[in-house]
């Protein structure tokens, strides 16, 4: 608690506000990540069996690209935004100041333990805040390296790294201290707990949650390309990805072709011994492993299905004959198991999608503009891709986030800066012009008011 009060005092001192401070800290952070690159990659291998290449694309390189973009644009983002002034207030000037929020808390999950903790950190630093980082206890090797790296890079009044069991550590902090913002990434269930605790003190929150992401494959889709892109995303990090396609909805005329194409490409990507593949990860822990193995008893396996508890390995698996009464179609899968369901009409597919409100991501594979527009206009989701899966989140020009059940608020690039800033709206009115029309007595001025205010 004393540490949090010290952070508050440090924030109040104004040290984090100037552009020069923010830029210098971001550059120092970039240098430190580069220094720790090998240790980070080794830790991610220990926790999730990620190759250095996968680490670069989805973790370290991802964060560095975000840093470079932020350093490049920070000065422009910090400029007061000039806006027009309406006739009623002429000749005033109106502008928006971007204010830091104060001391903010960032909470992350275990699946991309580096990226999901440190990408929001960049936005929070850029906006001039002091930051408490809470890593996930389920990716312990990565957490140890991140802690060492953060403590080497920043003083503890500016960025504080906190570890431990979230269910104890987070309520303890939130009960004793009022954060100025909470940025939470993780499950919907815990998101609700955080949201309730924050509401008690009216602390604003950003929630980046999960859900069941539908992936539509239309009859006019390029099946070979669709299979390649779906398999790449679904089985990356052994399916433990918030934006992975959770299940496929394929037009009935293309189901057989898609299953064949998927089988072929999975074999090509990960060989017939994926447990030994350089390109294939492992399940994070026994609890998640057991949960996933349970899904293998549901529906009919058409590819894969092997598992090994010792190695926390589950083979890339395709399942058919699933229905909405089964757990696999009720909960977020978050693993390398892909149910395939065929549809004959859009209405039928929409009804199934509607069982899980507001998916975080949505994908459609089609060569028709009309079909593309139909799906974009008829499903309420966070963000997504046409003829691709998950790559939208790697473009920092696109704000990333869910809606409703999959979260609220957005980040990445400028959206991160905005999330961690308060937009302070200011009107500056000159004193040389002060018409008495604005002041009492008002009698007889209605016609004029109606002309000015409309
Ligand atoms: P989780 O909710 O179990 O844990 C996330 C964080 O919350 C951890 O740091 C944990 O310590 C903390 N926590 C756990 N219980 C808590 C409690 N009772 N009170 C306060 N804090 C608590 O999530 P997870 O299992 O680590 O991650 C998987 C989930 O995260 C999936 O649902 C996935 O879709 C989602 N996710 C979403 C995104 C996104 O960007 N929207 C990204 C990655 C993962």
């Amino acid at each position: 608690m004393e540490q949090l009060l010290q952070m508050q005092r440090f924030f109040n001192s104004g040290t984090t506000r100037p552009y020069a401070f923010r830029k210098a800290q971001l550059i120092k952070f970039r240098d430190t990540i580069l220094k720790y690159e090998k240790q980070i990659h080794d830790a991610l291998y220990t926790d999730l069996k990620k190759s250095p290449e996968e680490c670069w694309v989805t973790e370290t390189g991802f964060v560095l690209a975000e840093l470079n973009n932020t350093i490049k644009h920070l000065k422009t983002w910090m400029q007061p935004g000039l806006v027009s002034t309406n006739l009623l207030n002429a000749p005033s000037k109106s502008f928006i100041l971007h204010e830091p929020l104060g001391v903010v808390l960032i909470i992350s999950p275990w699946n991309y333990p580096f990226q999901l903790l440190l990408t929001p950190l960049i936005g929070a630093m850029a906006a001039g805040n002091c930051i408490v980082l809470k890593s996930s206890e389920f990716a312990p090797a990565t957490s140890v390296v991140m802690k060492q790296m953060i403590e080497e890079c920043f003083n503890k009044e500016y960025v504080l790294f906190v570890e431990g069991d979230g269910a104890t550590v987070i309520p303890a902090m939130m009960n004793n201290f009022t954060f100025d913002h909470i940025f939470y990434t993780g499950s919907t269930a815990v998101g609700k707990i955080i949201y309730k605790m924050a509401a008690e003190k009216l602390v604003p929150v950003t929630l980046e949650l999960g859900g069941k992401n539908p992936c539509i494959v239309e009859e006019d889709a390029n099946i070979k390309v669709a299979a390649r892109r779906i398999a790449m995303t679904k089985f990356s990090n052994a399916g433990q990805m918030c934006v992975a396609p959770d299940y496929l909805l394929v037009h009935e005329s293309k189901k057989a072709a898609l299953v064949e194409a998927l089988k072929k490409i999975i074999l090509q990507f990960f060989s017939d011994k994926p447990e030994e593949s350089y390109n294939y990860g492992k399940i994070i822990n026994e609890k998640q492993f057991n949960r996933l193995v349970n899904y293998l008893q549901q529906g009919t396996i058409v590819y894969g299905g092997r598992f090994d508890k010792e190695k926390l390995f589950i083979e890339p698996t395709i399942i058919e004959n699933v229905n909405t009464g089964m757990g696999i179609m009720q909960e977020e899968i978050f693993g390398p198991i892909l149910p395939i369901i065929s549809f004959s009409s859009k209405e039928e597919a929409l009804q199934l999608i509607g069982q899980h409100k507001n998916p975080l991501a949505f994908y459609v594979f089609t060569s028709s503009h009309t079909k593309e527009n139909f799906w974009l206009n008829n499903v309420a989701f966070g963000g997504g891709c046409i003829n691709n899966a998950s790559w939208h989140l790697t473009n920092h020009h696109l704000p990333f986030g869910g809606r409703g059940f999959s979260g609220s608020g957005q980040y990445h690039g400028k959206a991160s800066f905005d999330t961690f800033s308060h937009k302070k709206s200011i009107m500056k009115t000159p004193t040389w012009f002060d018409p008495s029309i604005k002041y009492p007595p008002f009698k007889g001025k209605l016609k004029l008011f109606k002309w000015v205010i409309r």
Side-chain angles (χ1 to χ4, degrees), residues 29 33 40 44 48 50 55 57-60 62-64 66 105-124 131-136 139 142 146 161 182-187 206-210 237 240-243 332 334 360 393-394 400-401 411-412 416 420:
F29 186 31
I33 293 176
I40 300 161
L44 287 163
L48 286 146
K50 292 190 198 199
C55 288
V57 176
T58 64
E59 305 259 19
T60 39
F62 187 102
V63 170
L64 287 164
E66 179 82 10
L105 171 63
I106 297 174
I107 305 167
S108 67
W110 49 261
N111 60 330
Y112 289 89
F114 186 83
Q115 184 221 121
L116 294 171
L117 187 66
L118 303 183
T119 304
L121 171 65
I122 297 166
I131 304 107
V132 177
L133 295 173
K134 162 66 180 73
S135 63
S136 169
T142 313
M146 288 195 295
F161 197 98
I182 294 173
F183 187 102
Y184 167 82
T185 307
S187 64
T206 301
L207 299 174
E208 300 283 343
L209 311 176
N237 203 24
Q240 301 162 111
M241 187 198 282
C242 61
V243 287
E332 178 184 9
F334 216 57
L360 174 64
L393 83 83
T394 63
F400 176 76
Y411 74 129
H412 289 178
S416 286
F420 287 104

Side-chain angles (χ1 to χ4, degrees), residues 334-391:
F334 216 57
I337 305 169
L338 183 61
I340 298 198
I341 302 161
S342 60
F343 69 91
S344 54
S345 72
K346 289 186 167 48
E347 292 66 33
E348 189 192 342
L350 271 180
Q351 203 188 359
L352 205 132
I353 294 168
Q355 312 239 330
H356 304 280
K357 221 177 160 204
N358 303 142
L360 174 64
F362 176 86
Y363 308 115
V364 54
F365 287 81
T366 178
S367 53
S368 142
H369 255 309
T370 315
K371 289 195 167 107
E372 180 185 309
N373 284 336
F374 174 86
W375 290 111
L376 295 186
N377 292 328
N378 284 283
V379 184
F381 58 95
C385 302
I386 299 152
N387 293 323
N388 212 338
S390 86
W391 288 89

Side-chain angles (χ1 to χ4, degrees), residues 70-325:
T70 304
I71 293 166
K72 186 169 161 200
H73 296 290
L74 181 59
K75 200 170 199 165
T76 319
W77 294 346
M78 284 176 68
Q79 296 301 315
L82 265 182
V83 297
S84 327
T85 301
N86 53 357
L87 181 61
L88 174 67
N89 292 294
S92 300
K93 235 173 62 177
S94 303
F95 52 94
I96 300 163
L97 298 177
H98 306 287
E99 282 244 317
L101 301 174
V103 181
V104 303
L105 171 63
I106 297 174
I107 305 167
S108 67
W110 49 261
N111 60 330
Y112 289 89
F114 186 83
Q115 184 221 121
L116 294 171
L117 187 66
L118 303 183
T119 304
L121 171 65
I122 297 166
M125 289 169 64
N129 299 283
C130 290
I131 304 107
V132 177
L133 295 173
K134 162 66 180 73
S135 63
S136 169
E137 61 272 40
F138 299 113
T142 313
S143 186
V144 166
V145 178
M146 288 195 295
K147 184 168 194 288
Q148 193 186 341
M149 186 185 86
I150 292 293
E151 290 182 351
E152 177 182 314
C153 190
F154 305 115
N155 82 49
K156 286 187 179 173
E157 292 161 351
Y158 176 39
V159 182
L160 179 70
F161 197 98
V162 175
E163 286 184 297
D165 170 22
T168 341
V169 169
I170 293 168
M173 283 195 290
M174 287 179 72
N175 287 334
N176 291 309
F177 183 79
T178 304
F179 286 100
D180 294 292
H181 191 90
I182 294 173
F183 187 102
Y184 167 82
T185 307
S187 64
T188 304
V190 174
K192 285 182 188 171
I193 299 174
I194 304 278
Y195 206 4
K196 274 188 198 153
M197 283 195 288
E200 280 299 314
K201 295 186 169 187
L202 292 178
V203 174
V205 291
T206 301
L207 299 174
E208 300 283 343
L209 311 176
K212 282 186 94 59
N213 306 319
C215 178
I216 304 279
V217 181
E218 283 281 10
E219 55 195 318
D220 56 5
N222 179 327
I223 295 297
K224 202 173 157 199
V225 172
R228 217 149 100 117
R229 295 183 183 170
I230 291 166
M232 165 70 197
T233 297
K234 176 67 187 185
F235 301 113
S236 172
N237 203 24
Q240 301 162 111
M241 187 198 282
C242 61
V243 287
D246 189 89
Y247 59 95
L248 297 187
L249 272 166
V250 54
H251 190 271
E252 57 185 2
S253 63
K254 286 293 155 69
K255 186 178 166 212
L258 182 65
V259 170
E260 278 321 298
L262 279 168
K263 285 181 182 173
K264 217 166 138 185
I265 203 71
I266 294 171
L267 208 58
Q268 212 181 90
F269 284 170
F270 309 112
S271 82
D272 59 351
K273 284 208 173 71
E275 59 270 55
E276 289 168 17
S277 170
Y278 181 84
N279 304 317
Y280 194 63
K282 71 176 178 76
I283 306 305
I284 188 80
N285 56 31
E286 223 174 281
K287 185 179 163 206
Q288 295 295 332
F289 177 89
N290 291 337
R291 183 183 64 79
L292 289 163
V293 165
N294 194 32
Y295 291 145
L296 296 174
Q297 327 303 324
Q298 302 169 19
T300 315
I301 294 173
V302 288
Y303 183 88
R306 287 187 305 116
F307 54 88
D308 180 342
K309 199 169 193 158
E310 282 280 292
K311 293 182 173 162
L312 291 174
F313 160 78
I314 298 179
E315 194 175 12
T317 299
I318 305 173
I319 286 191
E320 59 181 15
N321 297 329
V322 294
N323 62 55
T324 52

